[in-house]
Amino acid sequence: MAAERLALGGVSVTIFDHMPSPARKLLMAGVGGLNLTHNEPLETFLSRYGEARRALEPAITAFPPAALREWCDGLGQPTFVGSSGRVFPKAMKASPLLRAWLRRLDGLGVQLRLRHRWLGWEGDALVFDPAVEPQAGAVVLAMGGASWPRLGSDGAWSGGMAPSLLAPFLPANCGFIAPWSPYMLRHAGTPLKRITLSFAGRTVPGDATLTDAGIEGGPVYALSAAMRDTIASDGVATAMLDLRPDLSLEDLRQRLAVPRRAQSLSTFLRKAGGLSPVSVALLRECAGTPENVAAAIKALPVRLTGTTGLARAISTAGGLRLGALHGLAERGVFAAGEMLDWEAPTGGYLLQAAFSTGYAAGESALAWLQGNPATSPD
Ligand SMILES: Cc1cc2nc3c(=O)[nH]c(=O)nc-3n(C[C@H](O)[C@H](O)[C@H](O)COP(=O)(O)OP(=O)(O)OC[C@H]3O[C@@H](n4cnc5c(N)ncnc54)[C@H](O)[C@@H]3O)c2cc1C
């Protein structure tokens, strides 16, 4: 995105990427339909970035969700708003958008040099493997976070930066470890449909999935920052599952007040309580044989003892500190995307911030070059 802004401004641009092909993570995001952004009011949208909102707001208001949708239109990839307000390309994948975009960049004269890894600086000179010495009038860094490293963003760029510029990488939108018993492991891979998960005063509806390691899925990702930080400080986070959020406690109590007769408890809970087999297993796992079964179904404590790690997380928190950007800009170095120290939930907020900060970095680099006529862009 930065390359496009610069090239449109008449600057000669070269993109270096250490992978054999570009935008592998964007393509992977396309496997899930490519949730580009969200259609909610801008004020609500901005609130999703938490502490990083102040730093990101200028970039997102300069290139907001509506502008991103127009940009997609311009590439022949119209978008639509899904029932949840999430925005997707009609093609529901990234490859046509990427192909059209690469064609546009090529038409603007942007050079793409693959299999070149940025290692850092020697003085003011950029260091690459294999060695090349581009005479760059301005530099935009956009090397992503550190999750799903096989897609290219492995976080190794942090080795080329002064440690004082960096906040530690942490998994965001990640799964969690719950030390399941062997009995529970039989249900690994099974979805927990239409539950709510609550933590630290927030309740999120959706589907979760039990895994060998613990639990993952939309509601888990949405609460992941708070749960991760609590585990870091207290060693454990206890989230509350409501296995029947569609029923009040009183309704559930009445349903379970009918005589059980010869049925096993599992069969009874499945029939009278409407619980799936995995929900029954989870109830037994997390609550044993509770005195008040209805209350346990409505608020089942799940002990989480760790995240399932950065490599499997959807995104990365930490990275280049937002406060470091000013000092870098004074040297003609700009940065964008997930390599910056911000985090946001899934829902299109990750790609929108990556696009918007890329747009802003391109505009800033252009202004810097124009204000420095002695430096020839190359
Ligand atoms: C499975 C999955 C699904 C996702 N789905 C969505 C979604 O639907 N919606 C959404 O908003 N977000 C989604 N995301 C997140 C989104 O894809 C990222 O936030 C976004 O791609 C970040 O863009 P970026 O340009 O900052 O970094 P990346 O897309 O990670 O690009 C960084 C680039 O830098 C290159 N690079 C890294 N280090 C170096 C180096 N040292 N030298 C040279 N090149 C280097 C990499 O090869 C890569 O090409 C998803 C993520 C995953 C893993």
Side-chain angles (χ1 to χ4, degrees), residues 49-364:
Y49 295 96
E51 284 171 18
R53 172 188 174 153
R54 258 182 56 168
L56 296 179
E57 187 165 338
I60 294 174
T61 46
F63 189 73
L68 178 56
R69 296 186 65 187
E70 260 175 50
W71 176 84
C72 291
D73 274 339
L75 287 170
Q77 292 300 312
T79 55
F80 73 98
V81 183
S83 54
S84 58
R86 295 174 181 220
V87 175
F88 300 87
K90 284 189 176 154
M92 288 297 280
K93 54 185 177 178
S95 44
L97 181 77
L98 180 61
R99 268 199 306 275
W101 195 9
L102 289 173
R103 261 199 312 274
R104 175 187 283 176
L105 291 175
D106 189 48
L108 289 167
V110 173
Q111 304 278 316
L112 187 56
R113 297 196 67 178
L114 299 167
R115 300 178 202 268
H116 281 75
R117 180 184 277 275
W118 180 81
L119 297 177
W121 285 279
E122 254 169 34
D124 275 341
L126 299 165
V127 182
F128 284 94
D129 177 23
V132 277
E133 289 176 14
Q135 300 300 307
V139 175
V140 176
L141 303 174
M143 289 176 282
S147 75
W148 285 62
R150 69 186 169 84
L151 300 177
S153 34
D154 56 14
W157 56 262
S158 58
M161 298 264 182
S164 60
L165 302 184
L166 302 172
F169 289 133
L170 292 171
N173 296 300
C174 55
F176 281 80
I177 296 170
W180 301 135
S181 67
Y183 160 79
M184 202 61 213
L185 284 176
R186 276 187 276 155
H187 294 274
T190 315
L192 275 171
K193 294 263 185 202
R194 293 176 293 278
I195 51 98
T196 64
L197 190 69
S198 302
F199 188 76
R202 277 187 65 207
T203 296
V204 182
D207 297 347
T209 302
L210 297 189
T211 64
D212 283 346
I215 188 164
E216 62 182 30
V220 181
Y221 299 156
L223 298 170
S224 61
M227 298 194 300
R228 176 198 68 208
D229 294 348
T230 299
I231 293 170
S233 60
D234 304 350
V236 67
T238 303
M240 288 294 180
L241 263 175
D242 183 342
L243 298 169
R244 286 303 310 261
D246 53 327
L247 295 178
S248 70
L249 180 60
E250 194 41 46
D251 287 345
L252 194 58
R253 210 175 264 144
Q254 281 177 15
R255 278 174 171 237
L256 297 176
V258 298
R260 198 169 119 193
R261 299 211 166 83
Q263 296 176 102
S264 70
L265 182 60
S266 301
T267 309
F268 176 68
L269 288 174
R270 285 212 301 273
K271 289 192 173 160
L275 296 189
S276 62
V278 62
S279 294
V280 173
L282 201 57
L283 186 67
R284 189 191 296 177
E285 176 85 2
C286 299
T289 38
E291 241 170 62
N292 188 339
V293 180
I297 292 171
K298 294 292 293 170
L300 189 63
V302 184
R303 271 172 58 86
L304 307 170
T305 56
T307 71
T308 48
L310 193 50
R312 292 177 55 184
I314 298 288
S315 62
T316 308
L320 183 59
R321 291 185 191 282
L322 295 161
L325 291 178
H326 187 70
L328 288 172
E330 286 176 346
R331 296 166 45 197
V333 177
F334 305 87
E338 206 182 304
M339 72 180 291
L340 301 177
D341 177 20
W342 55 270
E343 65 178 308
T346 56
Y349 308 103
L350 301 167
L351 282 173
Q352 177 70 54
F355 281 117
S356 296
T357 54
Y359 185 100
E363 293 284 297
S364 301

